[in-house]
Amino acid sequence: MGGGAACRDLCRPCQPLRSAASEKDAVSPWAGLPGVLLLLPGEGSEILAVLITRSTRNTPRGERMASSGSQTKTRGNHSGHFVQPANPNVATMPEDVLYHLSLSTSTHDLPAMFGDVKFVCVGGSPTRMEAFAKYMAKELGLDHPGAEYPNICAGTDRYAMFKVGPVLSVSHGIGIPSTSVMLHEVIKLLYHARCSDVTVIRIGTSGGIGLEPGSVVVTQQAVDASFSPMFEQMVLGKRVVQRTDLDQELAKELMQCATDLPEFPTVLAKTMCTSDFYEGQGRLDGALCSYTEKDKQDYLRAAHAAGIRNIEMESSVLAAMCSACGIPVAVVCVTLLNRLDGDQVSSPHDVLVKYQQRPQRLVSHFIKKRLAATGTLKA
């Protein structure tokens, strides 16, 4: 790897990797992860985080590290790929308080509440995610007169969470920081609930680049504002960079489902994730602006030339965190406007509501086909 002493100092996870290569039965403190997380030294204070995953072809179906650190092929009545946080400390905590969800391992029976979850659908607005939960109830045949879908996180005003059968519908707020907090706690919730074979999908809105309003974009690759497939954050004063890879097979499956819904256009493309709605996305209508219309157009056209077709504010952290934990993840967003034509969302409210229902319809169709394929739901 060429890291030398610097690698030994910065990459403690490298030690278990080297030990395992020479000692077949070596057990490392990282054994419960879906792979080995390497923190590779970059330039200056930069650290590149790389997750080396175990090949599924060489891993028996259902293999997972339990909280005690021993391997098991099943947990409870489940089998398959169990959700596992990329953090060995979680398994040793006597209690885990999921503060922003108003849940805890000591006050809630998480396996009983969430153990059957197979799909986690997330979106910015609590109202939208409640509407999606009600829509899924009808689509799955679980709705009935007088049915109520309480907010599981009613004890807090940070997020809203609704459950319908195997579908968990959660709001994440606006932007990377809010989404990151939600993901940390939802991933741990899924782990404590002993959930297996979980798929995460963001259902959202975005600004299009060269697409008509109302178009749906299934994200092929999440990129940052410089068009790079990277997500970076500061950890202990160091710049940590992770790739933003999404599950390509899942994206293809969603695109196949889109062929059954010809009423609206759906494309597979790159999505740009920014940390700001105004200047970060080249808008001219914010409280601050230091560039011209030509500057904006040049930037957006360069993004279009790079294969980017929409802009939003959450896809990169979803891709990075879910990939690190071995969870298949997809992003499905509708475009509310074509940014090449303007900056403000000016369509009538009823039109915007119809647009926002399009990714919900696509994801619902995907979920139903998945459940039908497993015999859980009649086609």
Side-chain angles (χ1 to χ4, degrees):
M1 183 164 54
C7 179
R8 288 192 293 273
D9 292 339
L10 290 173
C11 303
R12 293 189 65 186
C14 288
Q15 303 301 329
L17 182 63
R18 283 193 287 268
S19 298
S22 58
E23 187 176 348
K24 183 177 180 181
D25 296 326
V27 176
S28 80
W30 298 89
L33 275 63
V36 178
L37 185 67
L38 303 184
L39 302 180
L40 306 181
E43 297 181 2
S45 62
E46 177 180 312
I47 295 177
L48 179 64
V50 180
L51 182 73
I52 299 180
T53 58
R54 287 178 276 182
S55 170
T56 55
R57 290 175 297 178
N58 298 326
T59 304
R61 179 173 175 79
E63 179 180 295
R64 151 181 229 273
M65 300 306 294
S67 297
S68 64
S70 61
Q71 294 187 4
T72 177
K73 292 188 178 181
T74 61
R75 289 185 73 182
N77 296 321
H78 303 277
S79 63
H81 179 77
F82 288 86
V83 173
Q84 179 73 48
N87 176 7
N89 298 307
V90 175
T92 63
M93 297 169 61
E95 178 188 11
D96 195 354
V97 178
L98 308 177
Y99 172 71
H100 300 90
L101 303 181
S102 191
L103 296 169
S104 169
T105 56
S106 66
T107 58
H108 296 80
D109 187 346
L110 299 182
M113 294 173 67
F114 302 102
D116 62 340
V117 168
K118 298 296 181 185
F119 305 95
V120 177
C121 298
V122 302
S125 163
T127 301
R128 191 189 314 146
M129 298 320 293
E130 181 179 14
F132 177 70
K134 293 178 179 178
Y135 176 64
M136 284 306 310
K138 293 179 181 178
E139 292 295 295
L140 298 179
L142 301 176
D143 192 33
H144 57 83
E148 295 184 356
Y149 306 96
N151 176 11
I152 299 171
C153 299
T156 176
D157 58 0
R158 297 293 184 182
Y159 303 101
M161 177 185 291
F162 309 90
K163 185 177 181 298
V164 177
V167 180
L168 197 63
S169 182
V170 191
S171 69
H172 57 56
I174 297 178
I176 289 172
S178 180
T179 303
S180 172
V181 173
M182 179 278 296
L183 275 177
H184 274 284
E185 298 190 11
V186 166
I187 289 172
K188 292 196 298 173
L189 180 156
L190 297 171
Y191 164 73
H192 292 305
R194 303 169 187 165
C195 295
S196 63
D197 302 320
V198 174
T199 297
V200 173
I201 304 177
R202 164 164 148 73
I203 304 171
T205 58
S206 64
I209 303 180
L211 295 178
E212 289 298 313
S215 301
V216 172
V217 180
V218 175
T219 302
Q220 181 181 44
Q221 178 78 68
V223 300
D224 62 17
S226 63
F227 313 159
S228 299
M230 298 290 178
F231 168 68
E232 67 173 74
Q233 65 179 145
M234 297 298 292
V235 179
L236 300 181
K238 301 290 185 179
R239 178 174 175 263
V240 176
V241 181
Q242 295 171 269
R243 285 190 58 84
T244 52
D245 296 318
L246 293 140
D247 191 290
Q248 296 303 303
E249 292 303 315
L250 178 56
K252 291 178 182 177
E253 194 172 347
L254 283 161
M255 286 302 297
Q256 182 60 43
C257 289
T259 62
D260 299 330
L261 302 171
E263 311 93 273
F264 50 85
T266 302
V267 300
L268 179 67
K270 294 179 182 178
T271 294
M272 180 162 66
C273 181
T274 68
S275 58
D276 172 56
F277 183 80
Y278 287 96
E279 289 181 292
Q281 297 185 14
R283 279 184 160 83
L284 300 171
D285 61 340
L288 305 175
C289 184
S290 59
Y291 43 85
T292 66
E293 170 70 23
K294 182 180 183 303
D295 295 333
K296 182 193 86 168
Q297 290 291 335
D298 288 346
Y299 177 67
L300 293 179
R301 293 187 186 282
H304 187 274
I308 298 168
R309 293 295 178 270
N310 66 329
I311 312 173
E312 47 88 87
M313 300 173 62
E314 295 86 16
S315 58
S316 64
V317 69
L318 274 159
M321 290 185 65
C322 289
S323 294
C325 296
I327 304 172
V329 60
V331 177
V332 183
C333 292
V334 69
T335 61
L336 300 183
L337 76 165
N338 181 358
R339 287 296 315 288
L340 295 175
D341 295 335
D343 296 333
Q344 296 203 331
V345 181
S346 56
S347 297
H349 177 72
D350 60 329
V351 173
L352 294 177
V353 170
K354 291 180 180 178
Y355 286 167
Q356 293 175 25
Q357 290 171 348
R358 291 179 175 182
Q360 295 186 19
R361 289 180 58 194
L362 175 55
V363 172
S364 169
H365 185 54
F366 160 79
I367 290 173
K368 288 192 296 181
K369 290 189 73 171
R370 272 279 186 96
L371 293 176
T374 61
T376 309
L377 178 73
K378 293 182 179 180

